[in-house]
C-alpha cells in the first residue's frame, strides 16, 4: 500500500511539475521559511484541512502558517462534479498577479495530493517528489489488488519548437525573376434587357422641302455589360414615321407630297450629364416611299419613288420618372436615292438635297 501511495504521489508530482515549471518562488533564494496563509475548502469526502497541511509539509518544510504579515496567500478548493473531483489553486501575492491552476481526478485524495504538490513547488522549486512520510492514518486504506486510480489530468503546454537552423547556400532556393502579371480580364455583367415604347413628332428637311412627321417606336436597351465601362450601354430603336401632307405649287397645279418610312437607330451608349439627363449619339437609317400627286386632276396617277437614307442623330433624354422619359432628337441625313419627282406636264415637284437635317421631340415609357 505504501508503494502504491508513493507511486501515485510521484505521478502527481510529475504532472504538476509540467504546469508549475513557470512559477517563480519568492522564497527560493531565502533560507528561512516563508510565511504563508492557507485557505482550504473541500467536499466532505476529501481530506481535512489538517491533513492537507500535513501533505504539504511532507514535500517541503520551507514554510510556516501565518495569520498576518504573510508573504503569499494560497487558496485551495476542491469541488465534486458528479463522479469527478475538481481542485483549484489560486496564489495571491502583493508583488505579482494572481496565479490559478486546476486539477481534476476521480479520487478526491489524489486531487488533494496534486494540489499539495503544487503548493509545495510554488514555495520550494526543489521540493522532494516523494512524501517524507505516509499519508495520515485517517485516510482509508486500499487493497493491494485494487486498481490504481488514474492520476489527475492537467493541461500540458506543448514544448516550444526549436529555432530553425540557418540555411546554407546550397539549401537556399535560387531566386527567380518576377514577371509582370497579365491584367485580369474585365469582369462581365449579365446583360439585362429593358423595353420601352414611345412616340415622336418632328420635322424633316432631307426629303422634300420641310415635312412634318409623327412616329412611334419600340426601344430595346441593355445595361452596361462591362463593370468599368459605364457609358457602354447599347440600345436600338425600331419604328415608323408618316409625314403630314405638304402642298407644293407646281405651275398652275397644287402637288400633294407625302412620305412614310420605317427607321432604325442604333446607339452604342450614353453619357450621363446628371442624375436625370443623358446624351447619346446613334446611327440612323430610313427606308420608305415618297409619293406626289396633282390635286384636282382626275385620271392622273400619283408618282411614287423608293426612299433610303442614313445619318447620325443625337438624343438628349431627361428622366422625369424612373420609367417615363422626354427627349429631344436632332441629326444629319444623307439621302441614298435622290430621284426627282415630276408631274404633268413635266414639271419638277420634288427633289432631295445632298444633305438634310431632322429634328424631333418625343417621350416614352419604360416597362
Amino acid at each position: 500500500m505504501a508503494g502504491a501511495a508513493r507511486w501515485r504521489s510521484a505521478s502527481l508530482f510529475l504532472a504538476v511539475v509540467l504546469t508549475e515549471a513557470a512559477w517563480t518562488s519568492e522564497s527560493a533564494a531565502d533560507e528561512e521559511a516563508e510565511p504563508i496563509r492557507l485557505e482550504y475548502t473541500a467536499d466532505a469526502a476529501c481530506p481535512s484541512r489538517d491533513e492537507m497541511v500535513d501533505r504539504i509539509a511532507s514535500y517541503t518544510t520551507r514554510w510556516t502558517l501565518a495569520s498576518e504579515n504573510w508573504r503569499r496567500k494560497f487558496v485551495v478548493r476542491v469541488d465534486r462534479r458528479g463522479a469527478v473531483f475538481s481542485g483549484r489553486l489560486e496564489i495571491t501575492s502583493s508583488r505579482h498577479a494572481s496565479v490559478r491552476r486546476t486539477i481534476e481526478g476521480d479520487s478526491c485524495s489524489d486531487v488533494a495530493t496534486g494540489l499539495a504538490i503544487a503548493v509545495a513547488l510554488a514555495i520550494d522549486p526543489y521540493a522532494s517528489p516523494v512524501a517524507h512520510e505516509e499519508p495520515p492514518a485517517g485516510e482509508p486504506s486500499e487493497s493491494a489488488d485494487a486498481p490504481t486510480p488514474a492520476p489527475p489530468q492537467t493541461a500540458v503546454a506543448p514544448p516550444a519548437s526549436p529555432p530553425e537552423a540557418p540555411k546554407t547556400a546550397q539549401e537556399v532556393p535560387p531566386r527567380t525573376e518576377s514577371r509582370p502579371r497579365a491584367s485580369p480580364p474585365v469582369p462581365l455583367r449579365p446583360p439585362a434587357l429593358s423595353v420601352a415604347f414611345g412616340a415622336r413628332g418632328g420635322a424633316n428637311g432631307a426629303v422634300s422641302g420641310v415635312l412634318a412627321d409623327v412616329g412611334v417606336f419600340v426601344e430595346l436597351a441593355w445595361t452596361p455589360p462591362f463593370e468599368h465601362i459605364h457609358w457602354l450601354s447599347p440600345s436600338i430603336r425600331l419604328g415608323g414615321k408618316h409625314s403630314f401632307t405638304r402642298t407644293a405649287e407646281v405651275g398652275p397645279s397644287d402637288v400633294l407630297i407625302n412620305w412614310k418610312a420605317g427607321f432604325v437607330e442604333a446607339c452604342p451608349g450614353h453619357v450621363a450629364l446628371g442624375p436625370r439627363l443623358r446624351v447619346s449619339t446613334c446611327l440612323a437609317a430610313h427606308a420608305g416611299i415618297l409619293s406626289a400627286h396633282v390635286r384636282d386632276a382626275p385620271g392622273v396617277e400619283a408618282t411614287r419613288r423608293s426612299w433610303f437614307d442614313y445619318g447620325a442623330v443625337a438624343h438628349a433624354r431627361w428622366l422625369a420618372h424612373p420609367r417615363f422619359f422626354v427627349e429631344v432628337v436632332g441629326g444629319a441625313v444623307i439621302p441614298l436615292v435622290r430621284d426627282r419627282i415630276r408631274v404633268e406636264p413635266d414639271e419638277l415637284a420634288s427633289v432631295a438635297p445632298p444633305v438634310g437635317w431632322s429634328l424631333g421631340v418625343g417621350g416614352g415609357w419604360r416597362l
Side-chain angles (χ1 to χ4, degrees):
M1 180 180 66
R6 283 193 296 270
W7 182 88
R8 290 197 304 272
S9 299
S11 300
L12 289 170
F13 179 86
L14 294 177
V16 177
V17 163
L18 295 176
T19 61
E20 306 302 326
W23 291 7
T24 303
S25 173
E26 298 185 4
S27 61
D30 300 334
E31 295 297 335
E32 60 182 10
E34 176 186 358
I36 68 170
R37 178 177 177 179
L38 178 64
E39 295 182 1
Y40 177 75
T41 305
D43 187 80
C46 298
S48 64
R49 173 185 169 84
D50 293 338
E51 292 174 338
M52 188 64 178
V53 171
D54 293 339
R55 294 194 183 193
I56 298 173
S58 66
Y59 295 104
T60 181
T61 57
R62 297 181 59 182
W63 59 278
T64 180
L65 292 177
S67 58
E68 57 184 14
N69 297 328
W70 42 267
R71 186 176 300 175
R72 284 185 293 177
K73 180 173 68 173
F74 294 80
V75 179
V76 181
R77 182 182 182 89
V78 183
D79 298 316
R80 180 195 292 268
R81 297 178 181 176
V84 178
F85 290 90
S86 176
R88 186 180 67 176
L89 170 63
E90 180 178 356
I91 304 175
T92 304
S93 173
S94 59
R95 290 184 290 177
H96 299 284
S98 299
V99 179
R100 296 180 178 86
R101 292 293 183 269
T102 302
I103 300 176
E104 293 184 349
D106 298 332
S107 169
C108 186
S109 178
D110 292 337
V111 172
T113 301
L115 293 173
I117 296 174
V119 173
L121 285 172
I123 298 173
D124 181 8
Y126 303 101
S128 173
V130 180
H132 299 300
E133 59 184 7
E134 297 295 330
E139 184 177 353
S141 60
E142 300 178 2
S143 60
D145 56 351
T148 303
Q153 299 179 357
T154 59
V156 180
S161 58
E164 184 179 356
K167 296 183 179 180
T168 62
Q170 297 179 352
E171 296 177 346
V172 177
R175 296 181 59 185
T176 58
E177 297 182 358
S178 59
R179 298 181 180 179
R181 296 182 179 179
S183 301
V186 180
L188 289 175
R189 291 182 179 179
L193 177 65
S194 62
V195 181
F197 293 93
R200 184 187 301 167
N204 190 315
V207 180
S208 176
V210 177
L211 289 176
D213 59 63
V214 294
V216 294
F217 63 87
V218 58
E219 178 184 86
L220 305 178
W222 289 264
T223 56
F226 298 99
E227 183 177 0
H228 301 295
I229 309 178
H230 302 286
W231 61 267
L232 184 60
S233 54
S235 62
I236 186 171
R237 300 179 188 89
L238 302 173
K241 296 180 180 179
H242 196 292
S243 70
F244 293 95
T245 301
R246 183 177 75 87
T247 302
E249 294 182 359
V250 180
S253 304
D254 292 336
V255 179
L256 306 179
I257 300 175
N258 290 282
W259 174 74
K260 56 184 177 182
F263 71 91
V264 58
E265 296 174 355
C267 311
H270 68 266
V271 177
L273 301 181
R276 295 189 177 186
L277 182 60
R278 297 178 179 178
V279 177
S280 59
T281 303
C282 315
L283 297 177
H286 293 83
I289 298 293
L290 177 63
S291 64
H293 71 276
V294 180
R295 178 187 294 176
D296 300 330
V300 179
E301 295 183 357
T303 302
R304 293 179 175 85
R305 296 288 187 271
S306 299
W307 178 266
F308 299 97
D309 67 36
Y310 68 95
V313 294
H315 294 251
R317 175 173 293 185
W318 182 64
L319 303 176
H321 183 270
R323 295 185 180 274
F324 177 70
F325 60 88
V326 178
E327 64 180 5
V328 177
V329 183
V333 181
I334 301 176
L336 288 177
V337 179
R338 299 176 60 205
D339 290 340
R340 299 186 178 204
I341 297 180
R342 294 180 178 274
V343 295
E344 296 293 340
D346 197 20
E347 295 286 345
L348 182 62
S350 175
V351 60
V355 179
W357 53 269
S358 66
L359 292 173
V361 177
W365 183 266
R366 187 176 303 279
L367 301 180

